[in-house]
Amino acid sequence: MPTRPTIHRTYRTLTAVVVLAAAFGLGAADESTAGAAHRSPAPPASTPATLCAPAGTLEGEGGRRANVSLCASSGGPQMSVSAPATCRRAGSSVTYACLTSGTWTARRAGQTVASGTLPGGRDYPGPGTYEITGEVHVRSTPEGVDLQGRVHATLTLSGPKPAPTHRIEADRSAVPPKTATTVTYTVSRDADQGDGSARFGLIGQEESGVELTTDDPRCVNPLIGRYPSTERSMHALDCALTDLQPGRPASVVVEVAVKEACTTVVSKLGYWMPQGQAVYTGGMLVGPTLRCAA
């Protein structure tokens, strides 16, 4: 059984000031005249980078110890957080590798702006100083270190939040229970980059019995089950949009039939951005959520 450790000591909070350009690439934070001639050039503004700061030391019985850092990565529309650690055990000559898991919360000006699992990311909230707290579980391989605790670091990100490339709007924010309601979704592409292709999706809670239907030929309820099954998932809708242009949005009219049980209906959009034949060139946008309310 893992032992709940105590915090042996906490590193002094570090405020790492970093210059993130338009795509949040990590740049130099300070210039020294004496060392400028020998300093490596800063990476290009578009280069993804990770900023780390010591966050705390966990200690348990038998001289078990883990030094934990918190890291925020940038270079795209998301801020991803991880918690790398180094593990050791008193009197042991074993070289340990650390596995870290848990959750993280980022606060700015005292307000929670993002949270998730470790490692994991959320939409970049924009420039500012973030107080990042991690509830971490550190295990070693080979076995020997198993610790849990809370760690903390302060990271300052100063790059601008990128302008959104796509938007999803709905003409309603709620649908009443035990009725069928028509909802019109409007999908817009505002950036010149990329192309007119996007996959628009809606999904409700399966156990609620909600049915999402449309006469739009670009949309289908997804097939489920093995071939030759023709059964479809009526609580989900998938639309292939191919003609999105700046100034030319696409509208999808959907009938949302809510049964006895209430449900929310979430919307999302997957889209391509231009990077030649690179595999990971897309983005995902979360749209409005329909609530169930009278």
Side-chain angles (χ1 to χ4, degrees):
M1 293 291 294
T3 302
R4 184 78 179 185
T6 56
I7 298 297
H8 178 64
R9 66 183 174 85
T10 301
Y11 285 93
R12 178 178 300 174
T13 299
L14 300 180
T15 302
V17 181
V18 62
V19 177
L20 302 178
F24 322 128
L26 182 63
D30 183 39
E31 286 296 332
S32 169
T33 303
H38 305 287
R39 183 178 292 111
S40 298
S46 60
T47 301
T50 299
L51 177 66
C52 298
T57 300
L58 308 180
E59 187 178 70
E61 296 176 358
R64 295 175 299 166
R65 188 181 180 91
N67 295 328
V68 184
S69 295
L70 285 170
C71 301
S73 67
S74 59
Q78 285 200 329
M79 178 177 71
S80 296
V81 177
S82 60
T86 57
C87 301
R88 65 179 184 271
R89 187 167 185 170
S92 175
S93 60
V94 175
T95 299
Y96 293 106
C98 289
L99 303 173
T100 58
S101 59
T103 61
W104 61 274
T105 301
R107 295 179 176 84
R108 183 175 60 187
Q111 300 294 317
T112 298
V113 294
S115 62
T117 57
L118 286 168
R122 290 292 185 269
D123 290 343
Y124 176 54
T129 297
Y130 295 89
E131 303 290 333
I132 302 179
T133 301
E135 298 287 347
V136 299
H137 184 185
V138 181
R139 294 168 293 159
S140 67
T141 180
E143 295 181 357
V145 177
D146 194 327
L147 302 168
Q148 297 183 56
R150 175 177 292 182
V151 294
H152 171 270
T154 300
L155 300 175
T156 297
L157 307 179
S158 56
K161 186 174 181 178
T165 60
H166 295 72
R167 288 179 289 121
I168 307 172
E169 297 166 303
D171 65 350
R172 300 179 65 94
S173 61
V175 291
K178 303 179 183 179
T179 59
T181 306
T182 299
V183 182
T184 299
Y185 288 89
T186 302
V187 181
S188 302
R189 171 182 157 219
D190 297 321
D192 291 327
Q193 297 81 11
D195 58 31
S197 297
R199 294 293 291 272
F200 175 56
L202 300 172
I203 188 166
Q205 295 168 300
E206 182 176 6
E207 63 276 10
S208 71
V210 65
E211 294 185 356
L212 307 177
T213 57
T214 181
D215 294 329
D216 195 314
R218 299 171 297 180
C219 305
V220 296
N221 297 101
L223 277 169
I224 55 178
R226 291 178 175 268
Y227 179 83
S229 170
T230 58
E231 185 180 359
R232 294 186 178 271
S233 176
M234 300 307 297
H235 71 285
L237 197 64
D238 185 11
C239 305
L241 308 179
T242 58
D243 55 1
L244 291 176
Q245 292 177 293
R248 186 190 186 188
S251 294
V252 178
V253 180
V254 179
E255 184 176 87
V256 180
V258 181
K259 308 301 183 180
E260 294 287 334
C262 267
T263 178
T264 55
V265 178
V266 302
S267 59
K268 41 191 157 182
L269 185 78
Y271 55 90
W272 292 102
M273 295 301 284
Q275 289 181 17
Q277 292 182 329
V279 175
Y280 300 105
T281 61
M284 181 64 74
L285 173 68
V286 177
T289 296
L290 287 181
R291 298 177 292 105
C292 179

